[in-house]
Structure formats: C-alpha cells, structure tokens
Amino acid sequence: MSSEIDVSKFEKKMIIREIQEKDFTSIIQMQKICFPNMEPWEYSHLKSHIDIFPEGQICVEYDGEVIGSCSSLIINFDEYDDQHTWDEITDNGYITNHDSEGYNLYGIEIMVHPSYRRMKIGRRLYEARKNLARELNLKSIIIGGRIPNYYKHSKDLSPREYVEEVTMHNIYDPVLTFQVMNGFSLKRINRNYLDDDRASLKYATLMEWNNIDYHPKVPKRQFKTSFPVRITSIQYEMKKISSFDDFAVQCEYYTDVAASYVSDFVVFPEIFTLQLLSFLPEKSPSQAIRRLTEFTEEYIELFTNLAVKYNVNIIGGSHFVEEEGKIYNIAYLFRRDGTIEKQYKIHITPNERKFWGISGGDKVNVFDTDCGKIAIQICYDIEFPELGRIAVDKGANIIFTPFCTDDRQGYLRVRYCSQARAIENQVYTVLSGTVGNLPDVENMDIQYAQSGIFSPSDFTFARDGVVGECNPNIETVVVGDVDLEILRRHRRAGSVNQLRDRRHDIYSINYFQ
C-alpha cells in the first residue's frame, strides 16, 4: 500500500503585497530587463514611493522571488495639463505631489519579469490596483501607456491611426492591447510623454478605468476656493504659582481666549509646565525634573478636557515625561475629538543634557487633523533642516514649534530657522514661546520670546512672510489665519518651487524609519 503523497513539495506560493525596502534591488534589476533602453528606478525613487504612498506600490512574489510590480499615486487629474508629461505627473519619479485627498489613482509603471509572462501576473497587478481604487473610493484609475510597437509602423501610420488599429485588434501592441483587454478606455494621445521611450517615439495613450462603485461624498464635485485655518499662539508668562490648580486656571483662560476667536489650533510653549516647580521645594535640577514628571497624568487629563470642552486642537507645549527610567521632552497634540498624539524632541541641547539628563526621540511624526496634516518640532529641532523636509514629504502643511529660549540670540536662531523652513519647504510655521521668570527654579532663570506665525515668501502670502507676531517679552497672544488652499496652489505655481526643483539626482535625505 502506497503512502500518502506529500503535496507540500509541489506547492508554489504566490503573494500580492506592498513593496518593501528589501525588494528594491530586485525591482531595479527587473526593470533593467523589462525596459533595457530606458532609465531604471533609483533607490531614492522607490524609497520615496513607499514613504509617501505605500498602499500604491504593489508587487507579486512567487516562491520567494519578486516577479512583477506596479507603482501609482493619487492626484486630482483635472488639475493637470491635458498634454502633461510623465515627469510632471510623478514629480520626476518621486511622487511628492501625491494627494491623499485626490480623486484619481494614476499608474506610473507596471512590469512583469519576462520569465514569468503568460501567468496572468499583469492582470493580477491591474486587479490589485482596481481593488485599491475601490477601497479608497477613488473615481477612476488613469494611466499613461506606452505604445512600444509604434516604431515599427510610424512610417505608415500616425499615432492616432496606430492606436485605432490596435484597439480594433488589427495590430498587436504588448501594452495598449493589454490595457484595452483590462477594461481601460482611451482618453487621448500625449506627445513627449516619456523622453527615453524611443520605441513609442515619446507618444503615450492616456487610458482610464472608471470605478462604478465610486460614491461621491458630495452631490457635485467641488473645488475649494479657500481652506482657512485659524491659529492662536500663546506667549506664556512664567510666574510663581501655588498649585496645579493655578496652572490649570491659566491654561484654561488661554484656551478660552483661543476659542473665543474660533481658532482651530491653540499653541502653548515648550516646557512651560516647569512653572509647576515654583511651588515644589526640590532645588536640584535633575531631581526637580523627576518630581515634575509626576504631574504627567494630570497635565494630559487637563488638556484633553480643554480640547473637547472648547472645541479646539491644542498643541500642549511640551512636558518632561519619564518612560522606562529615561526623561523625554514630549509635545502632545490634543485633538478636539478627544484623541491624543505625541512627538518626542529629537535633538537635545547641551543645557538639557547637562542639567536635566534629557534623552532624545528618534521619529519624525506627521499627524492627521481636521485641518490637514501637521507636524510638531520642538525648539532646537527646527534648527535642523532635514526634519522639516521629512515632515513636508510626509504631507505636513503646518509645522508647530513650541520653544523656550533665555536670550535674544537663542530666540533668533529659532525664529530664523522657522522662517527658513517655511520658505524652503513651502509650509506654514508657528512659534510659541515663554516670557517672564521663575526665580525659585534652578536652570530656569530668564526668558526671551516673540511668538509668531510665518508663511512662505511669495505674492500670495503676507508681505514679509509674517502672518502675525507678538510684541517681544510680554504676556500676550497672536491670532492669524493661514490658507491651505493657497498653500496648495503655491506648491504648484509659485514664483519659485523649492519642493519640485530639488535635485534628487545629486542629493537626498535618508530617513531610517
């Protein structure tokens, strides 16, 4: 009697999944094989893809080997010129123009290793894209398709005639025929679409697949004429108090002020909770900080309640928190829906390290809010331009910087760098600092601040790039409106465009997260 056959030795496992960094070498090698006369992806392109829109980067793994892949981004297609190029639609291959609130999935590449063709790999990738469009409730999928056999017929047929012959199945084209068979319809023909596509003579067919499951969120598509966001930045006075309740009264007062102006965000300064040390007897800076961390839960509860009660998103300054024996300088985002996020200060100043023994965080976070994506970079962190660029590449439109500086030179370092980040990243930046003094608190002697709200420098913004600013060194607030729609348009059509004009071919930022 024969034994049961072990079928496992015959199994071949095919997986469709998101592209991971470990796949980059295989994908680049596969691209060189699939498109031998065209420039392949660079590592920085693929890294940018998975950082910005990981769901849109899909591969097929067969028996442990990547044998096919496709890349895409989301856009509002109506915002692009009819005769756009591949470089324009992809921001030169880096997809930093990806718009998570867009209506269309745009496919920028698909390929299958020649050794695995006729296994329906391409069809599986197209179905994965369609499923993604359904899951994200996107209106359609658009692709700029090559016509790689056109060079064989260009002497006898115009591009339009060639496309008509292919769609009528009189001529076979490996790309266009496949797209037609997968339910894509022709919109138009673009010239000069891809510079190194000599086989197609630089022509491309613009194809579209409409998602019949698409449900518009509004009865008629609308474009925003403006998207105003109101910000109140607190210039907070550090003065002696007698209890946590005194601290809570001050914080609620300023939150109420911000709410009375119908603000979307209210911003408190860095480590303003050190005011609590003014009623504690501990004099040693390192020991006093550990006493301060005992107020963490009360602090979080206070600001969570204020955010909900006054219907405003609160950047709760920053507070020293003890985690696993280490002290961190943490800024909290208290959303008005009651949810909480946090950003660790990454770069620690020599003074923080020497007197308080503060440890640094290691991640640049970008947070979703009801007013778009924002980032928080605490004081010294704004002086490192890499962090601002990483945050904006992750989608941030506003960078909030709670700060605490003791003299004018220190303040100006923070201010000049904040304004530089606004210009070089085409982003709004906000400063909130402390004034006053705490004579009884060691290492917290004098304060210098001029809080403000800053914009890029161009015709559509405030004349000097200053939306609003406080008078220096007095307890007050500044209230200002920033417009995210104007910012979006500026990133597309400003006098200069620092984001799009970056030379990815000669430099890049590697963010190890």
Side-chain angles (χ1 to χ4, degrees), residues 391-456:
V392 170
D393 279 348
K394 286 185 166 190
N397 294 313
I398 307 172
I399 298 176
F400 293 97
T401 298
F403 73 94
C404 175
T405 51
D406 57 352
D407 57 30
R408 189 169 184 271
Q409 287 83 357
Y411 160 71
L412 289 177
R413 287 195 295 269
V414 174
R415 180 188 177 115
Y416 291 156
C417 288
S418 180
Q419 290 190 268
R421 301 299 87 83
I423 292 170
E424 67 201 15
N425 294 297
Q426 299 178 279
V427 67
Y428 295 113
T429 59
V430 181
L431 296 181
S432 173
T434 52
V435 298
N437 58 78
L438 294 173
D440 295 329
V441 178
E442 292 292 328
N443 197 40
M444 198 64 180
D445 303 320
I446 57 174
Q447 310 288 296
Y448 188 102
Q450 186 177 15
S451 304
I453 304 167
F454 309 113
S455 73

Side-chain angles (χ1 to χ4, degrees), residues 381-390 421 424-425 509:
D381 282 344
I382 199 67
E383 299 179 27
F384 294 82
E386 298 88 348
L387 300 192
R389 182 53 50 86
I390 291 165
R421 301 299 87 83
E424 67 201 15
N425 294 297
I509 295 174

Side-chain angles (χ1 to χ4, degrees), residues 16 21 39 63 68 76 114 131 138 147 164 276 297 310 316 331 342 367 393 405 448 454 468 474 481 495:
I16 299 174
E21 193 165 355
E39 289 293 323
D63 214 19
N76 281 330
N131 288 335
L138 299 176
I147 43 176
E164 288 176 351
L276 299 171
E297 291 189 4
Y310 289 96
K342 60 183 178 179
F367 307 115
D393 279 348
T405 51
Y448 188 102
F454 309 113
I474 63 171
D481 285 350
S495 298

Side-chain angles (χ1 to χ4, degrees), residues 18-84:
E18 291 181 11
I19 292 172
Q20 301 171 13
E21 193 165 355
K22 66 179 182 180
D23 305 317
F24 289 178
T25 300
S26 298
I27 289 172
I28 292 170
Q29 290 301 317
M30 180 169 58
Q31 192 183 38
K32 291 177 180 178
I33 295 170
C34 293
F35 312 117
N37 298 314
M38 299 176 67
E39 289 293 323
W41 291 123
E42 294 180 6
Y43 187 95
S44 58
H45 288 125
L46 298 174
K47 185 67 166 63
S48 183
H49 295 176
I50 66 171
D51 285 345
I52 293 172
F53 184 38
E55 310 98 299
Q57 322 313 317
I58 303 169
C59 70
V60 177
E61 179 185 313
Y62 183 59
D63 214 19
E65 180 181 355
V66 174
I67 62 170
S69 71
C70 64
S71 302
S72 59
L73 72 158
I74 298 174
I75 60 170
N76 281 330
F77 184 67
D78 290 345
E79 297 176 2
Y80 289 83
D81 185 84
D82 285 351
Q83 287 294 322
H84 65 268

Side-chain angles (χ1 to χ4, degrees), residues 305-464:
N305 292 336
L306 292 177
V308 174
K309 177 180 178 180
Y310 289 96
N311 190 32
V312 61
N313 300 301
I314 300 176
I315 310 298
S318 76
H319 175 67
F320 289 132
V321 180
E322 183 173 6
E323 295 181 350
E324 298 180 354
K326 293 183 178 181
I327 306 294
Y328 296 95
N329 189 350
I330 300 178
Y332 289 85
L333 164 64
F334 301 92
R335 295 191 188 90
R336 51 182 151 200
D337 66 1
T339 57
I340 304 170
E341 304 279 4
K342 60 183 178 179
Q343 172 66 60
Y344 293 74
K345 188 172 184 178
I346 294 173
H347 297 92
I348 305 305
T349 64
N351 187 67
E352 286 177 293
R353 190 176 294 110
K354 176 182 177 181
F355 286 96
W356 295 324
I358 307 303
S359 299
D362 58 10
K363 188 174 183 181
V364 179
N365 294 313
V366 169
F367 307 115
D368 287 309
T369 73
D370 53 10
C371 296
K373 294 180 181 293
I374 64 119
I376 306 172
Q377 296 184 357
I378 306 169
C379 197
Y380 196 29
D381 282 344
I382 199 67
E383 299 179 27
F384 294 82
E386 298 88 348
L387 300 192
R389 182 53 50 86
I390 291 165
V392 170
D393 279 348
K394 286 185 166 190
N397 294 313
I398 307 172
I399 298 176
F400 293 97
T401 298
F403 73 94
C404 175
T405 51
D406 57 352
D407 57 30
R408 189 169 184 271
Q409 287 83 357
Y411 160 71
L412 289 177
R413 287 195 295 269
V414 174
R415 180 188 177 115
Y416 291 156
C417 288
S418 180
Q419 290 190 268
R421 301 299 87 83
I423 292 170
E424 67 201 15
N425 294 297
Q426 299 178 279
V427 67
Y428 295 113
T429 59
V430 181
L431 296 181
S432 173
T434 52
V435 298
N437 58 78
L438 294 173
D440 295 329
V441 178
E442 292 292 328
N443 197 40
M444 198 64 180
D445 303 320
I446 57 174
Q447 310 288 296
Y448 188 102
Q450 186 177 15
S451 304
I453 304 167
F454 309 113
S455 73
S457 183
D458 209 342
F459 296 109
T460 52
F461 301 103
R463 175 185 169 187
D464 298 318

